[in-house]
Amino acid sequence: MLSDAKFFSAAKDLTATAGGASGNVIYTCPNNFVSLIKFLHVSSGSSSTKKYSLQWYEASTTTYHFIIDEHSVAGNGIEEVIEGGAYLALSAGDKIVGFEDSSSDFHVILSGEEHYQPT
């Protein structure tokens, strides 16, 4: 329910060149919450085409899943990863992680809702 939502935003400049535990953590869903990521924006500050990847870390299975895998973006390009009213639901401890080609210049911004889930 919207009245129960706590809204959040997070931003990260990617510097990691490998994923998994080595990637840049952009957002972690807090304990006792479910998060709905409704906006996920990626921009490139590089003047040439570069690649980036985004992963969802599923805490319950300790598994990294690719959301975007080595996706090419034109120099100074932007992308909306979540579109058309869609969302990505995260459970407590789940994370969004990103990484890029070496010497890239990617920036990630996300926002959404956190919903308290009493235990």
Side-chain angles (χ1 to χ4, degrees), residues 12-75:
K12 187 74 172 180
D13 293 339
L14 299 183
T15 57
T17 57
S22 299
N24 294 120
V25 175
I26 302 160
Y27 173 77
T28 303
C29 182
N31 290 335
N32 299 317
F33 281 86
V34 168
S35 295
L36 303 179
I37 308 284
K38 295 189 167 194
F39 176 77
L40 183 50
H41 175 89
V42 179
S43 64
S44 171
S46 176
S47 60
S48 60
T49 299
K50 298 288 184 173
K51 294 179 183 178
Y52 77 95
S53 298
L54 295 175
Q55 295 176 311
W56 157 46
Y57 172 74
E58 185 179 15
S60 65
T61 64
T62 65
T63 304
Y64 289 88
H65 306 277
F66 277 96
I67 300 168
I68 301 280
D69 189 6
E70 292 189 23
H71 184 67
S72 293
V73 176

